[in-house]
Amino acid sequence: MNTLAFASLLLPAFGSAVTFAGGRDLRHVKFWSTAPIALALVGTILVAISHGTGGTSTETYTIGTAGEFHIEIGTRVSGLAALTAVLVAAVALCVQSYSTSYLGGEPRYASYAALISLFTAAMLTVVYAADLIVLLIGWEVMGACSYFLIGHYWEREIARAASIKAFLMTVAGDVPFLFGLIALGVQAGSFQVHDVIASADGNALSHPGWIAALLLCGVLGKSAQFPLHSWLPDAMAGPTPISALIHAATMVAAGIYLVALLYPVFVLAPDVLVVMAVIAAITMLGAALCALAQTDVKRILAYSTVSQLAYMLGGLAVNGRSQAVYLLIVHGFFKALLFLAAGVVIHRVGSNELSRMGGLRFRMPVAYTTMTIGLLALAGVPPLSGFFGKEAVLGAAYNATGEFAVPGRIVLVAGLITAGVTAAYALRLWLGMFHGPFPDAPHEHEERIEAPQTELIPLVLLAIPAALLGVVALFGNGFSQVVGGASGESGSLLGAFAVDLWPGGMTTLLSLLFVLGGAGLVYLFWRRDPKADPAVPLLGSLRGLLLDGFRFDALIGLAVVRPVRAAAKLVAFLDENVVDAYVRGSGVGARGLGTVLRRLQTGSVQFYLTCLFLGVLVMAAVYAYVGTVS
């Protein structure tokens, strides 16, 4: 099983290398960008089947030592890793297949496809890594790949700025994250994941609070949570398939995965769990409100991703590890579906703006049907998968007790309100894209403008789990057993978390009321004037603020960018006028002294004897004066 897992993460890396070497041969690039990932998907499925509920399997090889620590490579297969790996490979294959026609004619398609394969390999490395150092390597390679992929259209200033912003904001979280991993490995006496978890499970860590706080910084950056969230909406400057990959199965999912993987460490830090709950509440509600105000389809989905990731972080904060992981899996499928379906519409309409769309349900029936499924899952409408994922998290928050009680109340209140806002922006997006008048074609029954099969097939394949994964909730606590129950990550500690995914009666009733209320308000305003944007009367004077993301970038500019620039100018001034002044002064002094000495070297013996005589006289006079004074 571990050998198969290792092969599954090597296949995309090999495909990336061959794709890079393939140059401009389009058939070569398309084959080597999709075939290895297809084989990797088969491998991850076989690993998941072989694993079943069989606990954790680790296989490592020592390749060197660093002091008292062994440097080891290998794989670690658990239920959490097995299921997440299937999600990563499945979404990556759909994205690569979709891209063969969506971007296949572009001159930089080869490098684009190779980077996607490398991105996939890096995420699988994070998922299957048995060692924290190896995990860190995959973690950072993802950051590098995201920089290049977001900036794919590097000739556009907005893409260059977005890629730099994404890189800087994620690295800002990665610096404390690195120190957290080092501290965790040193205190556990090993960087092996199973040793670290065993140490945490045995309460053998001396400073778990500080470690959890440092790790959380990296999670906030990678998973785009407040205050390191604003890079994700700007990342929409990259190609739409990249958005699907980053927002669904890689990068942003890595942060949530890491908390779930090292959950025993976070359980030992109750104060950090409260901070997680507060951050999750701020992020989920704030991002949902921003999504409701946006006019760009991709930015709506981007803010939606930020909000849904906050649901997962909130679930982890309230002892809902299994529930958060389940939402992570189902969200990966329906969010990839939404981005790819939106890409189909955007490509045919020629604009990202919602105001340029409308009445497309007859012209693009496959995109309409599949995106409807995705939006229903996003809004949490039963019986789709998103409903069970959201309700599982809210149920965990409602039932939280003890040290989880305070985080539970915070997440529950924010989650219920967010459920209503989510339904509102999901319905607004659906109505704006597929209903009402189409600006350039007043007749709804215009000719079909459906996408090629290579773009439609991934939509259908992703729509199936988005619609049907809710049946997992029917198997009681089976999901919890797989991802971290009695056969989970660390045995005794996580065994207490084996709970089922059935929605609770009270939370389900409340959330459905919020969903109906949010969607009902949008529908009422839309019915009054299908040509108008229902967000305008709904949000009123707040819309401008929300459209600009609460002007958070301006705040960052004021609090961070300006002080850094001022400090840089001060350093430049000191370097030029103080440090360089001393350097220049020593040079000028040396040249001046050399000029004086050169003038003294006349070559005249009489001059030299005169100077010698005068020097003796001066020395004698000084000696006589000193003797007289003393």
Side-chain angles (χ1 to χ4, degrees):
M1 180 169 62
N2 290 82
T3 302
L4 193 56
F6 190 64
S8 298
L9 68 88
L10 284 182
L11 279 168
F14 174 74
S16 175
V18 176
T19 303
F20 265 124
R24 295 180 179 275
D25 187 341
L26 193 59
R27 289 179 298 177
H28 173 96
V29 171
K30 288 182 176 180
F31 175 80
W32 287 106
S33 63
T34 54
I37 295 183
L39 293 175
L41 174 59
V42 174
T44 58
I45 293 173
L46 291 176
V47 168
I49 294 173
S50 300
H51 174 269
T53 57
T56 301
S57 173
T58 302
E59 185 176 316
T60 60
Y61 303 93
T62 302
I63 60 173
T65 57
E68 61 183 23
F69 297 98
H70 295 289
I71 303 173
E72 297 177 304
I73 61 171
T75 56
R76 178 178 179 277
V77 178
S78 63
L80 172 64
L83 293 178
T84 307
V86 173
L87 168 67
V88 172
V91 173
L93 179 60
C94 289
V95 168
Q96 285 284 34
S97 174
Y98 181 95
S99 300
T100 55
S101 64
Y102 194 87
L103 293 168
E106 294 196 358
R108 293 195 294 271
Y109 173 66
S111 61
Y112 161 88
L115 283 168
I116 288 183
S117 295
L118 183 59
F119 206 147
T120 306
M123 182 61 187
L124 289 174
T125 300
V126 171
V127 171
Y128 282 137
D131 187 275
L132 292 179
I133 302 302
V134 177
L135 184 150
L136 179 64
I137 293 172
W139 184 276
E140 296 301 338
V141 170
M142 279 195 299
C145 289
S146 69
Y147 169 78
F148 289 110
L149 289 169
I150 293 170
H152 176 74
Y153 298 120
W154 50 263
E155 64 276 8
R156 303 176 185 174
E157 182 180 355
I158 188 173
R160 295 195 301 270
S163 62
I164 293 172
K165 182 179 181 180
F167 182 78
L168 290 178
M169 294 195 77
T170 53
V171 168
D174 286 350
V175 173
F177 177 76
L178 171 62
F179 288 111
L181 286 184
I182 293 172
L184 185 58
V186 170
Q187 290 195 18
S190 170
F191 285 93
Q192 290 291 297
V193 174
H194 63 272
D195 291 335
V196 168
I197 292 177
S199 296
D201 195 27
N203 201 14
L205 301 177
S206 56
H207 301 288
W210 286 105
I211 293 174
L214 291 171
L215 294 177
L216 182 61
C217 292
V219 172
L220 298 182
K222 273 292 188 287
S223 292
Q225 298 295 284
F226 177 84
L228 299 175
H229 65 284
S230 63
W231 68 267
L232 195 59
D234 288 355
M236 296 304 95
T240 300
I242 292 303
S243 303
L245 187 65
I246 293 177
H247 287 240
T250 62
M251 191 76 169
V252 296
I256 303 300
Y257 174 85
L258 183 101
V259 179
L261 176 67
L262 301 178
Y263 198 51
V265 178
F266 289 87
V267 170
L268 295 176
D271 293 340
V272 176
L273 294 178
V274 175
V275 173
M276 284 173 57
V278 172
I279 290 174
I282 293 172
T283 308
M284 71 171 69
L285 184 54
L289 289 170
C290 289
L292 182 58
Q294 301 303 307
T295 60
D296 184 308
V297 170
K298 290 176 66 176
R299 289 183 71 86
I300 294 173
L301 295 177
Y303 275 112
S304 167
T305 299
V306 176
S307 181
Q308 294 299 302
L309 289 167
Y311 261 110
M312 302 170 208
L313 190 67
L316 292 166
V318 299
N319 199 15
R321 178 179 179 274
S322 299
Q323 294 89 330
V325 172
Y326 176 72
L327 182 57
L328 174 69
I329 300 297
V330 298
H331 172 266
F333 286 110
F334 71 68
K335 187 51 62 70
L337 167 63
L338 287 173
F339 268 107
L340 295 183
V344 168
V345 177
I346 290 169
H347 212 179
R348 271 66 205 173
V349 173
S351 174
N352 289 18
E353 289 296 315
L354 197 59
S355 60
R356 301 293 301 164
M357 302 174 189
L360 295 174
R361 64 188 185 279
F362 297 113
R363 306 180 74 189
M364 308 181 74
V366 176
Y368 169 66
T369 303
T370 54
M371 196 160 187
T372 299
I373 293 173
L375 288 172
L376 288 173
L378 171 64
V381 176
L384 280 82
S385 60
F387 164 76
F388 290 98
K390 180 194 68 177
E391 294 304 321
V393 170
L394 293 177
Y398 181 78
N399 295 318
T401 58
E403 61 190 11
F404 300 100
V406 173
R409 300 300 173 262
I410 296 172
V411 172
L412 179 62
V413 173
L416 288 172
I417 300 173
T418 303
V421 182
T422 302
Y425 70 71
L427 182 61
R428 170 179 173 257
L429 180 60
W430 185 69
L431 293 172
M433 291 181 72
F434 299 108
H435 294 264
F438 187 72
D440 297 329
H443 302 295
E444 291 184 342
H445 294 278
E446 291 282 339
E447 71 282 358
R448 291 176 58 169
I449 52 174
E450 201 70 86
Q453 294 298 314
T454 50
E455 295 180 25
L456 296 182
I457 291 175
L459 303 186
V460 176
L461 294 178
L462 290 169
I464 295 172
L468 301 180
L469 269 182
V471 300
V472 173
L474 303 178
F475 295 100
N477 64 356
F479 185 83
S480 297
Q481 293 292 326
V482 171
V483 300
S487 60
E489 307 298 320
S490 64
S492 60
L493 179 61
L494 292 178
F497 302 154
V499 295
D500 61 56
L501 301 175
W502 274 102
M506 180 59 68
T507 55
T508 299
L509 176 61
L510 290 174
S511 67
L512 287 177
L513 288 175
F514 275 97
V515 167
L516 290 173
L521 285 174
V522 168
Y523 184 75
L524 288 175
F525 283 114
W526 180 82
R527 284 292 297 171
R528 291 180 184 177
D529 185 4
K531 295 181 180 180
D533 186 351
V536 174
L538 263 177
L539 300 175
S541 59
L542 288 176
R543 186 164 184 265
L545 180 66
L546 298 175
L547 192 60
D548 198 24
F550 289 98
R551 298 192 177 92
F552 189 77
D553 284 341
L555 179 61
I556 292 292
L558 184 65
V560 179
V561 177
R562 286 189 180 180
V564 169
R565 285 180 175 175
K569 288 181 179 180
L570 177 61
V571 170
F573 173 81
L574 294 175
D575 182 63
E576 182 178 355
N577 296 283
V578 179
V579 177
D580 283 357
Y582 282 108
V583 175
R584 289 194 300 268
S586 63
V588 171
R591 286 197 300 270
L593 181 61
T595 300
V596 173
L597 293 176
R598 186 173 65 252
R599 292 183 181 278
L600 294 175
Q601 301 299 317
T602 62
S604 172
V605 176
Q606 293 87 344
F607 177 74
Y608 295 156
L609 290 174
T610 301
C611 290
L612 179 62
F613 179 71
L614 290 174
V616 171
L617 289 178
V618 171
M619 292 175 63
V622 171
Y623 180 76
Y625 174 77
V626 172
T628 302
V629 173
S630 61

